[in-house]
Amino acid sequence: MFGGSVTVVSAATARAAAPGTVTFAAVNGAIERIVPPLAAELSPVRVNAVAPGAIDTPWRSFLSDDAKETQFAAAAEGLPAKRIGRPDDVADAIRYLIGSTYVTGTILPVDGGFTVS
């Protein structure tokens, strides 16, 4: 029986020691820690999370175009993927988790390798 799917959004800051992100780390770490027990408690509903890294979204609209480009270029250089993520990257991961009926209790990094580099 298929019981449905819940997919929450965390962030790579839950698993990285990036200066200035302690509040994000705490909140996103809490989100990630509830995924496995919720998957067990809500079964057969599947519970998963995506954990994006740097994604080019309007969230950074407070930066000038030049500042954003400089910041993104520097960040991309340090990533194994060598680019900043796009909203479609996160949407694809969410679609995967929703459609994969044998995946539950998982946190899927969508961070270009940020948490492994």
Side-chain angles (χ1 to χ4, degrees):
M1 172 183 172
F2 178 70
S5 176
V6 173
T7 302
V8 298
V9 179
S10 175
T13 54
R15 286 164 279 105
T21 64
V22 69
T23 303
F24 294 123
V27 170
N28 290 308
I31 290 169
E32 290 189 11
R33 288 312 317 141
I34 68 169
V35 170
L38 272 178
E41 290 179 20
L42 298 180
S43 174
V45 173
R46 295 172 301 101
V47 180
N48 295 292
V50 295
I55 306 294
D56 188 359
T57 67
W59 186 80
R60 288 186 171 80
S61 64
F62 63 91
L63 295 170
S64 69
D65 289 343
D66 289 341
K68 185 171 95 168
E69 186 176 319
T70 300
Q71 188 180 69
F72 279 179
E77 184 58 34
L79 295 174
K82 299 295 183 203
R83 70 174 179 85
I84 295 300
R86 297 180 301 266
D88 284 353
D89 295 319
V90 178
D92 288 345
I94 292 170
R95 275 190 288 274
Y96 165 75
L97 291 172
I98 290 170
S100 297
T101 60
Y102 202 57
V103 177
T104 192
T106 296
I107 293 94
L108 179 60
V110 184
D111 62 12
F114 174 68
T115 53
V116 298
S117 59

